[in-house]
Amino acid sequence: MIKPPQVYQSHSRNQQTLFFLQRPFVHGTSQHQQLPKQVLQSWSKRNKQLFLITCNAQASHTPSPATTAAATESNKTNSYNVKAIVKVKVATSGFFSSLRLNRGIDDITDLLGKSLLLELVSSEIDSNTGLEKETIKAYAHKAGQEEETVMYETDFKVPIDFGCIGAILVENEHHKEMFLETIVLKGFQKVTIKFDCCSWVHSKFDNPTKRVFFTNKCYLPSDTPSGLRRIRKEELENLRGNGEGERKSFERIYDYDIYNDYGDPDKNLKLGRPPLGGPEYPYPRRCRTGRPRCPADSYSEKRTRGFYVPRDECFSEVKQLTFSTKTLHSVLQVLIPSLATVIKDKDLGFQYFHAIDSLFSIGLDLPPDEIEEGFLRAIMPRLVKNIADSGGHVLRFETPEAMNRDRFFWFRDEEFARQTVAGLNPYSIRLVTEWPLKSKLDPEIYGPVESAITSEIINREIGGIVTVEKAVEQKKLFILDYHDLLLPFVNTVRQLKGTTLYGSRTLFFLTPDGTLRPLAIELTRPKDLETGKEQWKQVFSPSWHSTSVWLWRIAKAHVLAHDSGYHQLVSHWLRTHSVTEPYVIATNRQLSIVHPIYKLLHPHFRYTMEINALAREALINAGGTIESAFSPGKYSMLLSSAAYDLEWRFDNQALPADLISRGMAVEDPSAPHGLRLTIEDYPFANDGLILWDNIKQWVTDYVNHYYPKRKTVESDEELQAWWTEIRTVGHADKKDEPWWPVLKIPEDLIEILTIIIWVTSGHHAAVNFGQYTYGGYFPNRPTIARTNMPTEDPSEEEWKAFLRKPERALLNCFPSQLQATRVMAVLDILSTHSPDEEYIGEKMEPSWANDPVIRAAFERFSGRMKQLEGIIDERNEDTNLKNRNGAGVVPYELLKPFSKPGVTGMGVPCSISI
């Protein structure tokens, strides 16, 4: 608890007079909640009269001029007259209305001038006693109200020997929380002191602990003024909590837990899911909520409505009321159930391609709003349109940019290949370094390890140019390899109704013009130890024969479903959302808000915990969108866990290290960024490396300013505790890995921070904001393959049906109507920028603005971001760059730093905010 060590006195005579107003109840009891409205009105009227009488009585005792002069002279020599102005944000729908305050009670509190208790804290200790100086207290009263803010004011008399004001304690006298924007102190030593709070302050009736706000200054722990050291330490202890009890919505406690709440066995035992986090299923940790365990499964945590996140991590009202949050809730909780009433057969597929196209031209009629008239239309104008004739609503999707430019883009092999380097998942393509291809899995369990893609097959495809051996040697052969990761899941996934799975490999050849050409797809079914079925595998290649052409197209649909699942569960969810949550928790637990590294990281964690909680609630949960519409089905999160165990390592999250690990680049000091790309026209890497370097330069300037001496990094106890906790608690299942960076010198810190900032900004933007562009027309990126290949153990009737109508076989393989429309609606929302988005290099934090060195460094960083926009535009106009320029080709803009609101296919927010 933040509390002063001594007993203090108020310095406001007027407020002391008001303390004696009579009250019909005692604050803090439950009785006031039961008082009739008439009693409150009568008491309020009576106390207004007392208030006026008191003010008039005080005004009648006007001091003589001589007394006034003496008082003024005393003030000049003994104290400063300091005015505090507190700015409180008003809820969007009216003053505090969204907070559901009992205004009758709290209006009286405002009237009495006891809305907020403020205490000024000196940054110095008493030189005589060696103790902290007594704080100076005063109650702030409501002074005015504007459209979006309410102002509170009070006056202090601050002794001239008080020392610098380093912090202010706030106690909220209302019965509900308030959002404090700023506190400004005027008149102290002829300067204005500003506290940028931007935080919720709980009611003292919920928690008596006072909130502490520090001035906009940064201090390393060793540099903390002596008067602030205890408060700095206690504030961190408060944020850590004690690891006990269920968390309440108003709390600001950061703690860790495993993923044991994405299942719901209490609702249905079939919705039970194994916990993630531990030796069996390694995984990053999430925020602890403290909810009780499920009666149906003691390993699972009970799912209650509204998942706890620390109060300051919650969405702003602007974000709540715009596309990316409230709309996502509505899509998941209102629209999708409505779709289920329209599409009664959840397994019904699309019978014709024009039925898919009609989703963008005609749409689907929706049933009347179940909540209120026009609800869906009001919050989803992009998706839900009015029907003029009937007054109803229709779900009609916006045509994705890729389809808008080229209706048949999804059909072309060259576009299939181009999207591996300039599409939604540029993180999977890798160089082939060994030939022949072999699996690393146990042949006793999964069958022979040799790939069915032979030299003969590849030489047949590229024989006129180079042999396969030369192609490997010259670094011209690339692969999408989902063989070993997916193969262990194939037999279990195939037991689910309406889906199938293979292990897959897809080979590409780098042509002389710098583009990729697909050569072969291998699909593998492992042997089944239960049924005795042997391993099945087959290779499909582009062909001029009709049968082979259609088999190739269906094989591509399977690979794209694998890539979609890997993208969503690994490249997107795991590698950005999930791994970042421990960084957020550790930063708030171990780094004080006045620590310069906290100030640097804070913009990059905005809303991440809230969006992750929403994902656990309705996206990655049992029976949620991911499980219902993506290939791994109910095993989706187990696949994510397997990828974390086998593939994830912190050091390789650095973009240069990631490219090198995949063989997509080699170190070359003479090349731009110190890397030579294996594919020169690799849009994601080309743009990403500039962004990476810009971030690293900004971090370098920042760290070198605050750590001019190399040893100060190792001696910074908060920083060392932060890094230790990330490794050993937040990522506990990886704590013994040798690849974790050490943290001893500024260069170590620069690399660690650059990785974290890159992951939360550039990496996330590259895999998120193009989702609707590339996945909105689902034949381009089907999320699930529902049927086996026609050549896998077909009956005679099934084979004849394929030959007679191959288009039907492809359509049956695609997602069902319900799956497709459900995913399309979610992708539209996930691709949307909120109006209050904060883009990288755009907003300067208050503490940076106060430091001329950091201010200049950030302005240079911001300038480099603007330059990057111009570079990307120039590259997209370059006709020699065929992976980003051509007829019907969508320009690669995912790493352009700035964007307007909406679905734009560009913009790099600071944080993972959707």
Side-chain angles (χ1 to χ4, degrees), residues 86-364:
V86 184
K87 189 176 180 180
V88 176
K89 187 174 180 62
V90 177
T92 300
S93 53
F95 180 48
F96 292 136
S97 62
S98 70
L99 307 179
R100 301 188 182 93
L101 292 181
N102 185 330
R103 292 309 311 162
I105 297 172
D106 289 332
D107 279 343
I108 294 169
T109 302
D110 286 341
L111 174 66
L112 297 178
K114 294 189 62 178
S115 303
L116 294 169
L117 175 63
L118 307 180
E119 295 185 45
L120 304 184
V121 180
S122 174
S123 61
E124 303 173 7
I125 60 173
D126 191 311
S127 58
N128 295 322
T129 65
L131 301 175
E132 295 174 19
K133 292 187 177 181
E134 183 178 336
T135 62
I136 302 174
K137 297 196 299 184
Y139 282 98
H141 59 274
K142 183 177 175 182
Q145 180 174 341
E146 300 175 359
E147 184 177 350
E148 296 183 353
T149 58
V150 176
M151 309 302 290
Y152 290 87
E153 294 181 358
T154 191
D155 294 307
F156 295 94
K157 288 191 181 299
V158 182
I160 58 174
D161 61 350
F162 187 70
C164 295
I165 298 174
I168 189 165
L169 303 181
V170 179
E171 183 176 81
N172 177 11
E173 304 295 315
H174 289 102
H175 287 72
K176 290 293 180 179
E177 61 188 355
M178 304 170 73
F179 188 83
L180 261 62
E181 292 190 332
T182 59
I183 302 175
V184 176
L185 302 180
K186 295 183 178 181
F188 181 73
Q189 297 180 348
K190 298 182 180 180
V191 298
T192 297
I193 303 174
K194 186 177 182 182
F195 298 80
D196 285 279
C197 306
C198 296
S199 178
W200 291 96
V201 178
H202 57 261
S203 166
K204 74 172 186 180
F205 302 103
D206 288 328
N207 183 352
T209 303
K210 295 180 176 69
R211 283 297 311 276
V212 57
F213 296 101
F214 296 93
T215 56
N216 296 334
K217 292 183 179 180
C218 294
Y219 300 106
L220 295 179
S222 59
D223 298 331
T224 307
S226 54
L228 302 179
R229 289 177 181 173
R230 178 186 61 85
I231 292 180
R232 176 173 183 156
K233 181 180 178 181
E234 286 188 3
E235 173 70 354
L236 285 173
E237 291 172 352
N238 289 337
L239 291 170
R240 293 175 196 143
N242 59 10
E244 299 177 359
E246 183 173 354
R247 298 275 65 87
K248 299 176 177 61
S249 60
F250 63 84
E251 292 180 327
R252 299 166 56 247
I253 293 178
Y254 296 78
D255 205 353
Y256 301 91
D257 208 339
I258 60 175
Y259 278 73
N260 61 350
D261 65 342
Y262 71 104
D264 196 358
D266 284 349
K267 183 177 182 180
N268 189 322
L269 287 177
K270 292 182 179 180
L271 296 178
R273 298 292 182 269
L276 303 184
E280 187 173 6
Y281 299 112
Y283 217 62
R285 299 305 191 255
R286 63 164 175 91
C287 180
R288 179 185 178 276
T289 66
R291 293 171 296 190
R293 297 299 176 94
C294 295
D297 176 15
S298 61
Y299 292 102
S300 297
E301 189 174 85
K302 202 170 186 64
R303 290 169 61 88
T304 55
R305 185 175 181 85
F307 284 30
Y308 166 81
V309 294
R311 189 63 183 97
D312 286 338
E313 306 298 330
C314 296
F315 296 138
S316 69
E317 283 198 327
V318 172
K319 194 167 180 69
Q320 287 175 344
L321 296 173
T322 52
F323 291 121
S324 49
T325 56
K326 189 169 183 179
T327 309
L328 183 54
H329 270 290
S330 302
V331 166
L332 298 174
Q333 299 175 5
V334 181
L335 179 60
I336 288 174
S338 296
L339 289 174
T341 64
V342 174
I343 308 171
K344 298 187 182 300
D345 183 356
K346 67 177 184 178
D347 298 319
L348 180 65
F350 292 90
Q351 300 301 307
Y352 305 98
F353 275 95
H354 71 74
I356 300 174
D357 296 344
S358 70
L359 294 173
F360 307 97
S361 56
I362 300 173
L364 291 171

Side-chain angles (χ1 to χ4, degrees), residues 24-40:
F25 61 88
V26 178
H27 280 296
T29 69
S30 60
Q31 295 174 356
H32 63 270
Q33 303 290 349
Q34 312 297 326
L35 290 176
K37 182 178 180 181
Q38 295 86 346
V39 174
L40 284 171

Side-chain angles (χ1 to χ4, degrees), residues 390-555:
S390 63
H393 297 103
V394 62
L395 176 68
R396 187 165 64 239
F397 292 94
E398 294 287 325
T399 304
E401 181 64 17
M403 185 187 179
N404 194 43
R405 287 173 176 261
D406 180 358
R407 182 179 176 185
F408 302 104
F409 79 108
W410 67 277
F411 210 61
R412 296 186 286 109
D413 285 351
E414 56 269 33
E415 180 65 11
F416 167 56
R418 189 190 74 85
Q419 287 184 30
T420 63
V421 293
L424 189 55
N425 184 29
Y427 272 98
S428 287
I429 189 76
R430 61 177 57 244
L431 180 70
V432 174
T433 56
E434 295 180 355
W435 192 265
L437 302 173
K438 290 185 179 180
S439 170
K440 294 181 175 62
L441 298 175
D442 186 350
E444 293 294 324
I445 299 176
Y446 300 104
V449 299
E450 295 79 11
S451 170
I453 303 178
T454 63
S455 297
E456 290 75 19
I457 292 173
I458 300 304
N459 285 333
R460 185 175 68 235
E461 296 297 322
I462 62 172
I465 304 174
V466 67
T467 64
V468 63
E469 290 77 15
K470 283 292 184 182
V472 173
E473 181 183 337
Q474 296 173 10
K475 299 183 178 180
K476 293 184 179 297
L477 209 58
F478 296 83
I479 189 170
L480 280 182
D481 192 350
Y482 297 128
H483 184 277
D484 285 11
L485 181 64
L486 293 182
L487 209 61
F489 291 89
V490 169
N491 288 329
T492 51
V493 168
R494 284 182 168 221
Q495 295 176 17
L496 303 175
K497 181 183 177 182
T499 188
T500 190
L501 192 64
Y502 294 98
S504 67
R505 297 185 178 102
T506 307
L507 283 181
F508 302 87
F509 178 71
L510 182 62
T511 65
D513 66 1
T515 61
L516 293 172
R517 178 161 70 89
L519 302 176
I521 292 173
E522 177 188 29
L523 299 178
T524 303
R525 180 198 71 200
K527 68 179 183 181
D528 191 328
L529 299 178
E530 292 186 8
T531 64
K533 280 188 176 182
E534 289 301 315
Q535 184 190 72
W536 176 92
K537 62 177 68 172
Q538 187 172 347
V539 179
F540 305 89
S541 298
S543 175
W544 297 103
H545 186 266
S546 60
T547 301
S548 298
V549 164
W550 276 103
L551 289 173
W552 168 252
R553 289 168 181 162
I554 298 172

